[in-house]
Short mmCIF file of all heavy atoms in Angstrom, two decimals:
data_model
loop_
_atom_site.label_atom_id
_atom_site.label_comp_id
_atom_site.label_asym_id
_atom_site.label_seq_id
_atom_site.Cartn_x
_atom_site.Cartn_y
_atom_site.Cartn_z
N THR A 40 8.65 -12.73 -4.92
CA THR A 40 9.22 -12.27 -6.20
C THR A 40 10.21 -11.12 -5.99
O THR A 40 11.04 -10.86 -6.87
CB THR A 40 8.11 -11.77 -7.16
OG1 THR A 40 7.41 -10.70 -6.53
CG2 THR A 40 7.13 -12.87 -7.52
N GLY A 41 10.13 -10.46 -4.86
CA GLY A 41 11.14 -9.46 -4.50
C GLY A 41 11.17 -8.22 -5.39
O GLY A 41 12.21 -7.56 -5.51
N ALA A 42 10.05 -7.87 -5.98
CA ALA A 42 10.04 -6.71 -6.90
C ALA A 42 10.44 -5.42 -6.20
O ALA A 42 11.21 -4.62 -6.74
CB ALA A 42 8.64 -6.56 -7.52
N THR A 43 9.95 -5.23 -4.98
CA THR A 43 10.27 -3.98 -4.28
C THR A 43 11.69 -4.02 -3.70
O THR A 43 12.37 -2.99 -3.62
CB THR A 43 9.20 -3.69 -3.21
OG1 THR A 43 7.98 -3.41 -3.92
CG2 THR A 43 9.53 -2.51 -2.34
N MET A 44 12.15 -5.22 -3.37
CA MET A 44 13.56 -5.36 -2.96
C MET A 44 14.46 -4.95 -4.13
O MET A 44 15.43 -4.20 -3.95
CB MET A 44 13.80 -6.84 -2.58
CG MET A 44 15.12 -7.08 -1.89
SD MET A 44 15.13 -6.32 -0.25
CE MET A 44 16.87 -5.93 -0.14
N ASP A 45 14.12 -5.43 -5.33
CA ASP A 45 14.90 -5.06 -6.53
C ASP A 45 14.84 -3.55 -6.75
O ASP A 45 15.84 -2.92 -7.11
CB ASP A 45 14.33 -5.76 -7.79
CG ASP A 45 14.59 -7.25 -7.76
OD1 ASP A 45 15.43 -7.70 -6.97
OD2 ASP A 45 13.92 -7.97 -8.53
N TRP A 46 13.64 -2.98 -6.56
CA TRP A 46 13.46 -1.53 -6.73
C TRP A 46 14.40 -0.77 -5.79
O TRP A 46 15.06 0.18 -6.18
CB TRP A 46 11.99 -1.20 -6.43
CG TRP A 46 11.65 0.26 -6.36
CD1 TRP A 46 11.31 1.07 -7.39
CD2 TRP A 46 11.62 1.08 -5.18
NE1 TRP A 46 11.05 2.35 -6.94
CE2 TRP A 46 11.24 2.38 -5.58
CE3 TRP A 46 11.87 0.85 -3.83
CZ2 TRP A 46 11.11 3.43 -4.68
CZ3 TRP A 46 11.74 1.89 -2.94
CH2 TRP A 46 11.36 3.18 -3.37
N SER A 47 14.48 -1.24 -4.55
CA SER A 47 15.32 -0.56 -3.56
C SER A 47 16.80 -0.72 -3.90
O SER A 47 17.60 0.22 -3.77
CB SER A 47 15.00 -1.14 -2.17
OG SER A 47 16.04 -0.93 -1.29
N GLU A 48 17.17 -1.91 -4.41
CA GLU A 48 18.58 -2.13 -4.80
C GLU A 48 18.93 -1.27 -6.01
O GLU A 48 20.03 -0.72 -6.11
CB GLU A 48 18.81 -3.62 -5.08
CG GLU A 48 18.99 -4.39 -3.78
CD GLU A 48 18.97 -5.91 -3.95
OE1 GLU A 48 18.89 -6.39 -5.11
OE2 GLU A 48 18.99 -6.59 -2.93
N ASP A 49 17.97 -1.16 -6.91
CA ASP A 49 18.13 -0.31 -8.09
C ASP A 49 18.42 1.13 -7.66
O ASP A 49 19.29 1.80 -8.19
CB ASP A 49 16.80 -0.33 -8.86
CG ASP A 49 17.01 -0.46 -10.34
OD1 ASP A 49 18.11 -0.84 -10.73
OD2 ASP A 49 16.04 -0.19 -11.09
N ARG A 50 17.64 1.55 -6.70
CA ARG A 50 17.78 2.91 -6.16
C ARG A 50 19.19 3.11 -5.59
O ARG A 50 19.81 4.13 -5.80
CB ARG A 50 16.71 3.07 -5.06
CG ARG A 50 16.51 4.45 -4.56
CD ARG A 50 15.32 4.55 -3.62
NE ARG A 50 15.31 5.89 -3.08
CZ ARG A 50 14.70 6.93 -3.66
NH1 ARG A 50 13.99 6.77 -4.74
NH2 ARG A 50 14.78 8.14 -3.13
N HIS A 51 19.65 2.09 -4.90
CA HIS A 51 20.98 2.14 -4.29
C HIS A 51 22.05 2.19 -5.39
O HIS A 51 22.97 3.02 -5.36
CB HIS A 51 21.15 0.91 -3.40
CG HIS A 51 22.46 0.85 -2.71
ND1 HIS A 51 22.76 1.70 -1.67
CD2 HIS A 51 23.55 0.09 -2.92
CE1 HIS A 51 23.99 1.44 -1.26
NE2 HIS A 51 24.50 0.47 -2.01
N GLU A 52 21.93 1.29 -6.38
CA GLU A 52 22.94 1.23 -7.45
C GLU A 52 22.99 2.52 -8.26
O GLU A 52 24.04 2.95 -8.71
CB GLU A 52 22.64 0.05 -8.39
CG GLU A 52 23.22 -1.25 -7.87
CD GLU A 52 22.56 -2.48 -8.47
OE1 GLU A 52 22.04 -2.39 -9.61
OE2 GLU A 52 22.55 -3.52 -7.80
N ARG A 53 21.83 3.14 -8.47
CA ARG A 53 21.77 4.39 -9.23
C ARG A 53 22.11 5.60 -8.35
O ARG A 53 22.01 6.74 -8.80
CB ARG A 53 20.37 4.60 -9.81
CG ARG A 53 20.01 3.62 -10.91
CD ARG A 53 18.53 3.73 -11.24
NE ARG A 53 18.10 2.67 -12.11
CZ ARG A 53 17.59 2.85 -13.33
NH1 ARG A 53 17.45 4.05 -13.82
NH2 ARG A 53 17.21 1.82 -14.06
N GLU A 54 22.44 5.31 -7.10
CA GLU A 54 22.82 6.35 -6.12
C GLU A 54 21.75 7.44 -6.00
O GLU A 54 22.06 8.64 -5.94
CB GLU A 54 24.19 6.94 -6.47
CG GLU A 54 25.28 5.87 -6.42
CD GLU A 54 26.67 6.40 -6.77
OE1 GLU A 54 26.80 7.61 -7.00
OE2 GLU A 54 27.60 5.58 -6.80
N ILE A 55 20.50 7.00 -5.99
CA ILE A 55 19.40 7.96 -5.81
C ILE A 55 19.28 8.27 -4.32
O ILE A 55 19.26 7.35 -3.49
CB ILE A 55 18.08 7.37 -6.35
CG1 ILE A 55 18.21 7.09 -7.84
CG2 ILE A 55 16.90 8.32 -6.08
CD1 ILE A 55 17.13 6.21 -8.41
N THR A 56 19.24 9.54 -4.01
CA THR A 56 19.10 9.92 -2.61
C THR A 56 17.73 10.55 -2.37
O THR A 56 17.19 11.19 -3.27
CB THR A 56 20.19 10.93 -2.20
OG1 THR A 56 20.17 12.01 -3.12
CG2 THR A 56 21.55 10.27 -2.17
N PRO A 57 17.21 10.42 -1.17
CA PRO A 57 17.72 9.59 -0.06
C PRO A 57 17.52 8.10 -0.34
O PRO A 57 16.55 7.73 -1.01
CB PRO A 57 16.86 10.04 1.13
CG PRO A 57 15.60 10.57 0.50
CD PRO A 57 15.95 11.11 -0.83
N PRO A 58 18.45 7.27 0.17
CA PRO A 58 18.25 5.82 0.00
C PRO A 58 17.05 5.35 0.83
O PRO A 58 16.69 6.01 1.81
CB PRO A 58 19.55 5.22 0.55
CG PRO A 58 20.14 6.26 1.43
CD PRO A 58 19.62 7.60 0.98
N ILE A 59 16.44 4.28 0.40
CA ILE A 59 15.31 3.73 1.18
C ILE A 59 15.62 2.27 1.49
O ILE A 59 15.83 1.46 0.59
CB ILE A 59 13.98 3.87 0.41
CG1 ILE A 59 13.65 5.36 0.24
CG2 ILE A 59 12.85 3.15 1.16
CD1 ILE A 59 12.42 5.66 -0.57
N THR A 60 15.67 1.98 2.78
CA THR A 60 16.00 0.62 3.22
C THR A 60 14.83 -0.31 2.92
O THR A 60 13.67 0.06 3.09
CB THR A 60 16.26 0.60 4.74
OG1 THR A 60 17.16 1.65 5.02
CG2 THR A 60 16.83 -0.72 5.20
N CYS A 61 15.19 -1.51 2.48
CA CYS A 61 14.17 -2.53 2.23
C CYS A 61 14.66 -3.84 2.81
O CYS A 61 15.83 -4.18 2.70
CB CYS A 61 13.93 -2.65 0.73
SG CYS A 61 12.60 -3.78 0.30
N SER A 62 13.76 -4.55 3.46
CA SER A 62 14.08 -5.85 4.03
C SER A 62 13.18 -6.89 3.38
O SER A 62 11.97 -6.70 3.33
CB SER A 62 13.78 -5.76 5.53
OG SER A 62 14.67 -6.50 6.26
N HIS A 63 13.79 -7.96 2.87
CA HIS A 63 13.00 -8.98 2.18
C HIS A 63 12.68 -10.10 3.16
O HIS A 63 13.54 -10.92 3.47
CB HIS A 63 13.81 -9.49 0.98
CG HIS A 63 12.97 -10.21 -0.03
ND1 HIS A 63 13.51 -10.98 -1.04
CD2 HIS A 63 11.63 -10.28 -0.21
CE1 HIS A 63 12.52 -11.48 -1.78
NE2 HIS A 63 11.39 -11.07 -1.29
N LEU A 64 11.47 -10.11 3.69
CA LEU A 64 11.09 -11.08 4.73
C LEU A 64 9.94 -11.95 4.21
O LEU A 64 8.82 -11.46 4.06
CB LEU A 64 10.65 -10.37 6.02
CG LEU A 64 11.63 -9.35 6.61
CD1 LEU A 64 11.04 -8.71 7.86
CD2 LEU A 64 12.97 -10.01 6.96
N THR A 65 10.23 -13.20 3.95
CA THR A 65 9.20 -14.04 3.31
C THR A 65 8.93 -15.34 4.05
O THR A 65 8.19 -16.18 3.55
CB THR A 65 9.61 -14.36 1.86
OG1 THR A 65 10.89 -14.97 1.89
CG2 THR A 65 9.65 -13.13 0.99
N ASN A 66 9.54 -15.51 5.21
CA ASN A 66 9.30 -16.74 5.96
C ASN A 66 8.16 -16.51 6.96
O ASN A 66 8.31 -15.76 7.92
CB ASN A 66 10.59 -17.12 6.71
CG ASN A 66 10.41 -18.42 7.48
OD1 ASN A 66 9.29 -18.91 7.66
ND2 ASN A 66 11.52 -18.98 7.94
N PRO A 67 7.00 -17.16 6.72
CA PRO A 67 5.85 -16.88 7.59
C PRO A 67 6.14 -17.19 9.06
O PRO A 67 5.59 -16.55 9.94
CB PRO A 67 4.75 -17.78 7.04
CG PRO A 67 5.31 -18.57 5.93
CD PRO A 67 6.71 -18.13 5.66
N LYS A 68 7.00 -18.17 9.32
CA LYS A 68 7.26 -18.55 10.71
C LYS A 68 7.94 -17.43 11.49
O LYS A 68 7.63 -17.19 12.66
CB LYS A 68 8.14 -19.81 10.75
CG LYS A 68 7.34 -21.05 10.45
CD LYS A 68 8.12 -22.30 10.73
CE LYS A 68 7.31 -23.52 10.29
NZ LYS A 68 8.12 -24.52 9.63
N SER A 69 8.89 -16.77 10.84
CA SER A 69 9.65 -15.74 11.57
C SER A 69 9.19 -14.32 11.24
O SER A 69 9.72 -13.35 11.78
CB SER A 69 11.13 -15.89 11.25
OG SER A 69 11.31 -15.89 9.85
N PHE A 70 8.19 -14.20 10.35
CA PHE A 70 7.82 -12.88 9.83
C PHE A 70 7.48 -11.87 10.94
O PHE A 70 8.07 -10.79 11.01
CB PHE A 70 6.64 -13.02 8.86
CG PHE A 70 6.26 -11.73 8.20
CD1 PHE A 70 7.00 -11.23 7.14
CD2 PHE A 70 5.17 -11.00 8.65
CE1 PHE A 70 6.66 -10.03 6.53
CE2 PHE A 70 4.83 -9.79 8.04
CZ PHE A 70 5.57 -9.31 6.99
N THR A 71 6.56 -12.26 11.82
CA THR A 71 6.10 -11.30 12.84
C THR A 71 7.25 -10.86 13.74
O THR A 71 7.43 -9.65 13.99
CB THR A 71 4.96 -11.92 13.68
OG1 THR A 71 3.92 -12.31 12.77
CG2 THR A 71 4.39 -10.94 14.68
N SER A 72 8.05 -11.81 14.19
CA SER A 72 9.15 -11.43 15.09
C SER A 72 10.19 -10.58 14.36
O SER A 72 10.74 -9.63 14.93
CB SER A 72 9.79 -12.66 15.72
OG SER A 72 10.25 -13.51 14.71
N GLN A 73 10.41 -10.87 13.08
CA GLN A 73 11.39 -10.06 12.32
C GLN A 73 10.90 -8.63 12.11
O GLN A 73 11.66 -7.68 12.22
CB GLN A 73 11.68 -10.73 10.97
CG GLN A 73 12.57 -11.95 11.10
CD GLN A 73 12.82 -12.62 9.75
OE1 GLN A 73 11.88 -12.93 9.03
NE2 GLN A 73 14.07 -12.82 9.41
N VAL A 74 9.60 -8.50 11.82
CA VAL A 74 9.05 -7.15 11.63
C VAL A 74 9.09 -6.39 12.96
O VAL A 74 9.51 -5.22 13.01
CB VAL A 74 7.60 -7.21 11.08
CG1 VAL A 74 6.98 -5.82 11.04
CG2 VAL A 74 7.59 -7.82 9.68
N LYS A 75 8.73 -7.06 14.04
CA LYS A 75 8.76 -6.41 15.37
C LYS A 75 10.18 -5.96 15.69
O LYS A 75 10.39 -4.86 16.21
CB LYS A 75 8.26 -7.37 16.45
CG LYS A 75 6.74 -7.42 16.53
CD LYS A 75 6.29 -8.27 17.71
CE LYS A 75 4.78 -8.33 17.77
NZ LYS A 75 4.29 -9.44 18.58
N ALA A 76 11.15 -6.81 15.37
CA ALA A 76 12.56 -6.47 15.66
C ALA A 76 12.99 -5.24 14.86
O ALA A 76 13.71 -4.38 15.36
CB ALA A 76 13.46 -7.67 15.34
N LEU A 77 12.53 -5.16 13.61
CA LEU A 77 12.88 -4.01 12.77
C LEU A 77 12.33 -2.71 13.36
O LEU A 77 12.93 -1.66 13.26
CB LEU A 77 12.24 -4.17 11.38
CG LEU A 77 13.05 -4.72 10.23
CD1 LEU A 77 12.18 -4.77 8.99
CD2 LEU A 77 14.29 -3.88 9.96
N TYR A 78 11.15 -2.83 13.97
CA TYR A 78 10.41 -1.63 14.39
C TYR A 78 10.74 -1.20 15.81
O TYR A 78 10.62 -0.03 16.16
CB TYR A 78 8.90 -1.90 14.27
CG TYR A 78 8.06 -0.66 14.35
CD1 TYR A 78 8.26 0.41 13.46
CD2 TYR A 78 7.08 -0.52 15.31
CE1 TYR A 78 7.49 1.55 13.53
CE2 TYR A 78 6.30 0.63 15.38
CZ TYR A 78 6.53 1.66 14.49
OH TYR A 78 5.77 2.80 14.56
N LYS A 79 11.22 -2.15 16.63
CA LYS A 79 11.18 -1.88 18.07
C LYS A 79 12.17 -0.84 18.58
O LYS A 79 11.88 -0.15 19.54
CB LYS A 79 11.29 -3.19 18.86
CG LYS A 79 12.67 -3.74 19.05
CD LYS A 79 12.60 -4.88 20.08
CE LYS A 79 13.91 -5.33 20.60
NZ LYS A 79 14.94 -5.85 19.81
N ASP A 80 13.32 -0.70 17.95
CA ASP A 80 14.31 0.20 18.55
C ASP A 80 14.19 1.66 18.09
O ASP A 80 15.08 2.47 18.33
CB ASP A 80 15.73 -0.33 18.32
CG ASP A 80 16.04 -0.45 16.85
OD1 ASP A 80 15.20 0.01 16.05
OD2 ASP A 80 17.09 -1.00 16.49
N GLY A 81 13.09 1.97 17.39
CA GLY A 81 12.84 3.38 17.04
C GLY A 81 13.67 3.89 15.88
O GLY A 81 13.70 5.09 15.61
N GLU A 82 14.35 2.98 15.17
CA GLU A 82 15.15 3.42 14.02
C GLU A 82 14.26 3.98 12.90
O GLU A 82 14.65 4.85 12.15
CB GLU A 82 15.98 2.25 13.50
CG GLU A 82 17.07 2.66 12.54
CD GLU A 82 17.85 1.47 12.01
OE1 GLU A 82 17.86 0.40 12.67
OE2 GLU A 82 18.45 1.62 10.95
N TYR A 83 13.04 3.42 12.84
CA TYR A 83 12.12 3.84 11.77
C TYR A 83 10.83 4.43 12.35
O TYR A 83 10.31 3.94 13.35
CB TYR A 83 11.77 2.65 10.88
CG TYR A 83 12.98 2.05 10.21
CD1 TYR A 83 13.45 0.79 10.58
CD2 TYR A 83 13.67 2.77 9.23
CE1 TYR A 83 14.58 0.25 9.98
CE2 TYR A 83 14.81 2.23 8.64
CZ TYR A 83 15.25 0.98 9.02
OH TYR A 83 16.37 0.46 8.43
N ASP A 84 10.32 5.47 11.66
CA ASP A 84 9.01 6.01 12.02
C ASP A 84 7.91 5.18 11.36
O ASP A 84 6.79 5.13 11.85
CB ASP A 84 8.85 7.45 11.48
CG ASP A 84 9.97 8.35 11.94
OD1 ASP A 84 10.23 8.38 13.15
OD2 ASP A 84 10.59 9.02 11.08
N LEU A 85 8.24 4.63 10.22
CA LEU A 85 7.22 4.00 9.38
C LEU A 85 7.76 2.74 8.71
O LEU A 85 8.81 2.77 8.06
CB LEU A 85 6.80 5.01 8.29
CG LEU A 85 5.84 4.53 7.22
CD1 LEU A 85 4.48 4.16 7.80
CD2 LEU A 85 5.65 5.61 6.14
N LEU A 86 7.04 1.65 8.90
CA LEU A 86 7.33 0.42 8.13
C LEU A 86 6.19 0.23 7.15
O LEU A 86 5.02 0.29 7.53
CB LEU A 86 7.37 -0.82 9.02
CG LEU A 86 8.50 -1.02 10.03
CD1 LEU A 86 8.44 -2.47 10.54
CD2 LEU A 86 9.86 -0.77 9.42
N ILE A 87 6.54 0.01 5.89
CA ILE A 87 5.51 -0.24 4.87
C ILE A 87 5.71 -1.67 4.37
O ILE A 87 6.76 -1.99 3.80
CB ILE A 87 5.64 0.74 3.69
CG1 ILE A 87 5.51 2.19 4.17
CG2 ILE A 87 4.59 0.43 2.62
CD1 ILE A 87 5.72 3.24 3.08
#
Side-chain angles (χ1 to χ4, degrees):
T40 59
T43 293
M44 191 68 211
D45 290 344
W46 172 87
S47 158
E48 281 169 4
D49 223 16
R50 191 172 174 88
H51 181 72
E52 275 160 26
R53 291 169 189 241
E54 299 180 3
I55 299 165
T56 53
I59 295 176
T60 311
C61 184
S62 214
H63 198 194
L64 306 179
T65 56
N66 181 347
K68 283 190 185 139
S69 53
F70 184 78
T71 303
S72 57
Q73 285 179 307
V74 173
K75 278 186 180 161
L77 262 180
Y78 194 57
K79 82 169 193 300
D80 59 8
E82 193 181 338
Y83 299 110
D84 306 309
L85 174 64
L86 291 192
I87 301 176

